Amino acid sequence: MSTIALSELLGLLVYDLTGTAKGRVREVALAPQEDRTKIALFVVKTSSGNRLLPLTAISNIDGGVRATTPASDWALADGAEGLLFLSRDLLDQQVIDVHGRKVVRVNDVDFHQDTTLGRAQLKIGGVDVGARGAVRRLLKGVIPAAALRALVQRVPPREIPWDFVDLIETDAARRVKLKISHDRLAKLHPADIADIIEDLAPNEREAVFQTLDEGVAAGALEELEPRVQKALVESLDSDRAADIVEEMEPDAAADLLADLPEERTAEILVQMQPEERQEVTELLEFKENSAAGRMTTEYIALPVTATTNDAIEMMRTFEGRMESMSTIFLVDSQGTLGGAVPLAKIVLAPLGTPLLGLTQEPLIYCQENAKEKEFAELFDKYNLLTLPVIDQKNHLMGVITPDDVINMLRSKL
Amino acid sequence: MKFLRRWKIQILLFFAVVGPGIITANVDNDAGGIFVYSAAGAQFGHMLLWTMIPITIALIVVQEMCARMGAATGKGLSDLIREEFGLRITFLMMLGILITNFGNVIAEFAGIAGSMELFGVSKYYSVPICAVIVWLIIVKGQYKSVEKVFLAASFFYITYIVAGVIAKPAWIEALTATIKPPQLAAFKQDSYLYMVIGVVGTTIAPWMQFYLQSSIVEKGVTRRQYKASKLDVVVGCIFTDVVAWFIIVACAATLYVHGHSEIRDAADAAQALRPLAGDYAYILFSLGLFNASLFAASILPLSTAYTVCEGLGLESGVGKKFSEAPTFYWLYTILIAAGGIVILLPGLPLVKITVFSQVVNGAVLPFVLIFMLLLVNKKELMGEFVNTMLFNVIAWATTVIMIGLTALLVWGQLVGKTG
């Protein structure tokens, strides 16, 4: 098994069954429907137009492509849907390196070459994004091929294995035909997905974003910078936007909707589930730079009479995020805040312990209209993990979490 | 109320996208610009004024194309060249841009050296200190806050307009010369041809196209907001050239009429502001030149590093650490350091070098334009935002004329040398 690069394949002479040179390799294509790694065919530029030469009709690729069929058997290349053309679609384009979690530009493509039963086989090994591919392409035809091969061996490679390459295709129909999905991208941390999305051009962002399911999209959306966030949501239809906004943390969703034009916000709200809509609408009422504007309404509150068993039971059925479970709040029948119990205390206490005995003293909270500076100081002073926000009647309204505070502080740095 | 609200939204929309065009325009009147326009006025009087209208039209067309490409594709010019024309062409293009822009960086340091010499500060102090300041502004991430200071100080250019008026120029002559080109005989002079290319090169500099398009992309201007951006670009272009016109007129009225036709250093150029500021002309001129040079010196090396790294697919961005984007930071550092060092060579004719760098701009411009034109006419890239016929005609004409002028100049030099 040996390796060969795309730039070395392009321009190779193609000989037909009789051994006469019939043309040159113009394109190398993959048929992702059949195989994601194995090269399906070459496009050969001949005197009678571009012809398709399937790999199954090639016996050998060594300084020249030797076909096992007469040139007259090679079909004319027209349209060729469902094919990924490596030179056109990959070379010099941006792809997502799922492993390195960034957007990179392709300098060359590396193949593993094999011959079994008199048939040549080419499999994509990976894409070259480093200096090796660049040098090879820059000097091709400028210095002798053998000298070039020796030279590039000295250049350290930077290759991304094909399994970690995510293609960006803005045409939705073509995305389906080429089986381009972003399953691997979706498995990354939302913050990394957001970084990658920010590196792309707007229409590419939209393309990638469309393939993500609502949960992943919501997570990524929360981490995007507000400008990109806004532009992306505006590009979605309100139905899909509503589905995604529903999955977002209510406070992040409210911040996002507050930045959109009013009509657009209304359209999205109408499409949302009643429960989520109510939460978000309530948050939208508050000034963004007050405690109420920064809080989330996703938290666990239990009656003051509850025990650790109730708390654990509640956590098991809780649908919100893990972070929202770090403190359990106690409220009376009116919703008045009575205490806050850290998760760690519940874990350490024997089962059945009344929560009222585990509360954190003193109970730290802030008023709904508290200024950013005030609650940031509370976090700093008491080393808080959560800060409950109450209204004038001492009813628990929501919770501020450290990420809200860090976001706020960072935006002021 | 509804009307008021709508009106407010329009204004807000404009301010959300305003900036790239105006900033590019201001940086356009950098040390290279000031010296070239001054030299043009001093050496040829009103004879170059006629270029201002065609240049303004070409500048608007070219810059508008960049802004449109940025808004329509969301990609920088070097990214687009790379994606559509491949690595080899991009590499050559980037090499050309690197060399041309290096000339411009040298020009900025020449401006710094010249302006500070007017205050009696030797270039051996001013250039290294400013080089370090520029380097730190960017690397420490302070550019955004400093930009506002630069922009505010750019209003210095208005002094040229005032100086031009106070100098009591021959208005009628100047206006006639703006509309009417000189006799064909003028073009047979190599020095005149040289100056024409310089004036075009400094006004429609290649780096501006890359810089403007990236700024538009970074600002997040989309197809929908594009109209406001267009206004920003057009206003910027007109401002640039009005200032250029007045610099030429001011220099013609002060230097040319007194037979002071060669500008050797900043002190000569400062004479143009004498009618306005008398003995303070030096102070006014040197402060303005200093601001313009420092402003451009902080943008040019950075823009070059971005352009080159993006085109070649290397990591770039001031948000990244040195170890994450080594090429980017090294390019940036070397451009500044080498640009400063060149200026420190003893006995260097600062103005001559500056003008030469702008002539190189003019000679490289058509190549950038060709790629821009090919890109902006691609339907699959631009969709409905492809060039109109009129824009194509103007931009192609600019390209052909610049190639022609450069060829004529080179030919003249060759014939002159052998004969």
Side-chain angles (χ1 to χ4, degrees):
Chain A
M1 201 167 73
S2 61
T3 58
I4 190 162
L6 177 60
S7 60
E8 291 172 309
L9 282 174
L10 295 172
L12 275 186
L13 274 173
V14 182
Y15 303 92
D16 75 352
L17 184 63
T18 61
T20 37
K22 284 290 179 183
R24 288 183 183 273
V25 177
R26 178 75 180 270
E27 261 291 9
V28 176
L30 210 62
Q33 299 273 21
E34 286 151 34
D35 197 319
R36 223 187 86 85
T37 58
K38 231 193 253 170
I39 296 303
L41 53 86
F42 287 165
V43 178
V44 182
K45 192 183 179 198
T46 69
S47 54
S48 57
N50 288 337
R51 302 271 170 175
L52 301 178
L53 175 61
L55 256 269
T56 47
I58 294 173
S59 63
N60 192 4
I61 305 166
D62 190 15
V65 178
R66 305 206 174 257
T68 55
T69 47
S72 53
D73 281 8
W74 308 344
L76 261 178
D78 45 359
E81 278 198 348
L83 288 179
L84 180 74
F85 294 108
L86 299 186
S87 168
R88 192 193 70 190
D89 296 329
L90 205 52
L91 223 47
D92 295 316
Q93 308 302 315
Q94 289 189 315
V95 295
I96 299 169
D97 169 6
V98 186
H99 186 64
R101 290 165 295 174
K102 60 185 168 199
V103 180
V104 291
R105 208 177 272 289
V106 178
N107 283 340
D108 211 342
V109 185
D110 294 329
F111 302 99
H112 297 303
Q113 185 188 349
D114 218 348
T115 316
T116 42
L117 306 166
R119 292 235 150 67
Q121 279 202 343
L122 278 179
K123 275 187 184 165
I124 299 194
V127 297
D128 187 329
V129 294
R132 183 182 278 194
V135 169
R136 191 190 289 125
R137 282 179 66 203
L138 285 175
L139 295 179
K140 182 185 168 188
V142 178
I143 64 172
L148 181 55
R149 269 217 125 171
L151 175 69
V152 294
Q153 289 309 317
R154 292 158 166 262
V155 182
R158 250 192 78 207
E159 196 194 54
I160 303 168
W162 186 234
D163 274 342
F164 295 136
V165 174
D166 253 15
L167 302 174
I168 303 161
E169 174 58 59
T170 50
D171 178 351
R174 192 148 190 261
R175 212 153 51 218
V176 176
K177 283 194 198 101
L178 297 184
K179 284 178 90 174
I180 294 174
S181 71
H182 292 291
D183 298 345
R184 283 160 304 182
L185 178 71
K187 291 203 181 78
L188 298 184
H189 190 280
D192 285 323
I193 302 178
D195 273 352
I196 289 171
I197 288 178
E198 279 172 6
D199 274 349
L200 298 174
N203 58 345
E204 297 170 342
R205 283 178 191 150
E206 289 157 23
V208 170
F209 205 71
Q210 269 160 10
T211 63
L212 300 176
D213 75 57
E214 285 96 19
V216 178
L221 203 56
E222 281 176 23
E223 304 291 335
L224 284 170
E225 56 176 286
R227 183 172 60 75
V228 180
Q229 207 180 40
K230 203 176 132 190
L232 255 183
V233 173
E234 293 208 46
S235 76
L236 300 170
D237 59 64
S238 46
D239 195 18
R240 164 118 171 123
D243 289 343
I244 294 173
V245 173
E246 274 171 15
E247 297 283 328
M248 291 173 76
E249 266 190 77
D251 57 335
D255 287 348
L256 167 62
L257 291 180
D259 283 345
L260 295 177
E262 267 174 50
E263 300 100 74
R264 185 80 179 133
T265 308
E267 277 168 29
I268 295 176
L269 280 172
V270 170
Q271 302 269 352
M272 284 171 69
Q273 300 290 328
E275 200 182 322
E276 277 93 359
R277 175 169 60 219
Q278 202 196 340
E279 272 182 334
V280 174
T281 328
E282 279 168 14
L283 284 174
L284 272 173
E285 303 292 319
F286 303 118
K287 279 202 195 116
E288 208 181 320
N289 54 4
S290 69
R294 290 278 178 182
M295 73 186 183
T296 177
T297 47
E298 203 177 73
Y299 56 84
I300 300 181
L302 287 169
V304 276
T305 52
T307 64
T308 49
N309 296 29
D310 301 324
I312 289 167
E313 196 51 45
M314 186 74 177
M315 280 188 267
R316 284 187 177 136
T317 53
F318 182 63
E319 284 186 346
R321 279 152 218 260
M322 297 286 188
E323 300 93 272
S324 311
M325 288 194 236
S326 60
T327 313
I328 313 295
F329 297 97
L330 300 180
V331 291
D332 69 10
S333 54
Q334 311 293 317
T336 314
L337 179 65
V341 186
L343 175 62
K345 281 202 181 176
I346 295 173
V347 176
L348 294 176
L351 282 176
T353 313
L355 291 179
L356 210 49
L358 299 174
T359 54
Q360 209 167 16
E361 295 302 333
L363 175 60
I364 313 294
Y365 53 84
C366 74
Q367 295 288 335
E368 56 174 312
N369 52 7
K371 296 255 163 37
E372 290 174 334
K373 194 166 176 241
E374 284 174 51
F375 64 75
E377 275 168 5
L378 287 176
F379 265 90
D380 186 28
K381 182 172 172 190
Y382 294 103
N383 298 325
L384 298 176
L385 282 176
T386 49
L387 175 64
V389 180
I390 56 169
D391 65 10
Q392 278 139 352
K393 292 181 188 143
N394 294 343
H395 294 153
L396 178 60
M397 297 173 68
V399 179
I400 298 178
T401 45
D403 57 309
D404 300 320
V405 181
I406 292 170
N407 260 335
M408 179 194 94
L409 293 176
R410 265 210 70 185
S411 68
K412 299 198 170 166
L413 277 180
Chain B
M1 279 313 277
K2 186 133 195 195
F3 164 76
L4 208 72
R5 207 183 110 91
R6 183 146 296 177
W7 186 73
K8 216 170 109 187
I9 288 176
Q10 290 292 326
I11 300 271
L12 282 179
L13 263 179
F14 179 70
F15 277 106
V17 297
V18 81
I22 305 250
I23 291 173
T24 310
N26 268 304
V27 184
D28 193 10
N29 283 329
D30 56 355
I34 293 177
F35 279 134
V36 167
Y37 302 136
S38 300
Q43 199 177 343
F44 295 102
H46 291 161
M47 273 170 71
L48 276 139
L49 283 180
W50 70 274
T51 59
M52 284 296 131
I53 291 176
I55 286 180
T56 309
I57 295 171
L59 180 64
I60 290 176
V61 166
V62 170
Q63 293 259 281
E64 195 276 342
M65 273 163 51
C66 280
R68 183 150 38 94
M69 273 198 278
T73 64
K75 287 182 180 175
L77 186 52
S78 50
D79 280 319
L80 288 181
I81 293 179
R82 172 72 190 268
E83 284 176 12
E84 300 296 321
F85 301 107
L87 179 64
R88 200 176 275 183
I89 282 177
T90 311
F91 182 79
L92 293 175
M93 188 81 216
M94 293 304 122
L95 203 63
I97 288 295
L98 192 63
I99 295 167
T100 317
N101 287 8
F102 180 58
N104 283 285
V105 174
I106 294 175
E108 308 312 342
F109 280 112
I112 289 172
S115 59
M116 282 291 123
E117 269 169 10
L118 285 174
F119 285 126
V121 180
S122 152
K123 67 178 181 183
Y124 298 103
Y125 295 109
S126 62
V127 170
I129 290 173
C130 288
V132 171
I133 289 176
V134 164
W135 191 83
L136 285 177
I137 286 176
I138 301 297
V139 175
K140 294 285 167 202
Q142 294 304 312
Y143 175 70
K144 275 292 156 209
S145 41
V146 181
E147 185 180 66
K148 296 187 186 83
V149 180
F150 281 136
L151 260 182
S154 303
F155 278 95
F156 138 83
Y157 297 121
I158 289 175
T159 56
Y160 265 106
I161 300 182
V162 180
V165 173
I166 295 182
K168 294 206 181 63
W171 288 112
I172 308 285
E173 270 178 44
L175 287 174
T176 323
T178 309
I179 309 167
K180 208 176 120 235
Q183 307 278 310
L184 214 57
F187 291 90
K188 294 210 172 117
Q189 286 178 57
D190 279 352
S191 56
Y192 185 74
L193 214 53
Y194 187 78
M195 199 53 89
V196 171
I197 297 177
V199 168
V200 178
T202 197
T203 318
I204 318 177
W207 65 261
M208 291 165 63
Q209 323 315 326
F210 292 91
Y211 176 73
L212 177 68
Q213 192 167 332
S214 304
S215 308
I216 295 271
V217 172
E218 203 187 293
K219 191 108 189 178
V221 177
T222 58
R223 290 175 176 223
R224 268 176 300 140
Q225 300 157 303
Y226 173 64
K227 270 205 176 132
S229 230
K230 193 169 175 173
L231 187 63
D232 172 45
V233 168
V234 173
V235 169
C237 291
I238 292 176
F239 177 71
T240 301
D241 288 345
V242 167
V243 171
W245 191 86
F246 273 100
I247 295 181
I248 297 180
V249 168
C251 287
T254 48
L255 301 169
Y256 178 72
V257 294
H258 294 119
H260 195 141
S261 70
E262 200 193 343
I263 292 187
R264 263 183 239 95
D265 51 27
D268 289 341
Q271 296 291 336
L273 290 180
R274 192 169 274 277
L276 168 67
D279 290 341
Y280 295 108
Y282 286 115
I283 299 178
L284 197 57
F285 179 81
S286 53
L287 282 179
L289 179 59
F290 181 70
N291 177 61
S293 308
L294 203 60
F295 192 1
S298 15
I299 281 190
L300 262 169
L302 185 68
S303 153
T304 311
Y306 264 114
T307 303
V308 171
C309 287
E310 275 174 14
L312 299 182
L314 301 164
E315 292 280 337
S316 57
V318 282
K320 299 218 161 65
K321 288 194 214 94
F322 211 109
S323 57
E324 289 171 318
T327 319
F328 172 77
Y329 278 108
W330 274 119
L331 257 180
Y332 174 69
T333 309
I334 290 171
L335 275 170
I336 292 178
I341 288 170
V342 168
I343 291 303
L344 292 185
L345 298 175
L348 210 68
L350 293 184
V351 175
K352 252 193 190 144
I353 285 207
T354 306
V355 176
F356 178 69
S357 72
Q358 305 306 301
V359 175
V360 174
N361 271 351
V364 173
L365 175 67
F367 299 100
V368 179
L369 286 181
I370 290 174
F371 285 111
M372 284 175 54
L373 274 161
L374 293 177
L375 287 169
V376 83
N377 280 307
K378 281 196 184 226
K379 191 108 193 161
E380 64 270 28
L381 210 58
M382 302 290 295
E384 55 185 316
F385 283 77
V386 289
N387 247 10
T388 57
M389 183 70 148
L390 178 69
F391 270 56
N392 275 335
V393 169
I394 296 174
W396 275 117
T398 312
T399 311
V400 172
I401 291 171
M402 287 313 288
I403 291 177
L405 287 179
T406 312
L408 222 62
L409 180 71
V410 173
W411 173 252
Q413 297 281 326
L414 289 179
V415 172
K417 268 183 196 137
T418 51

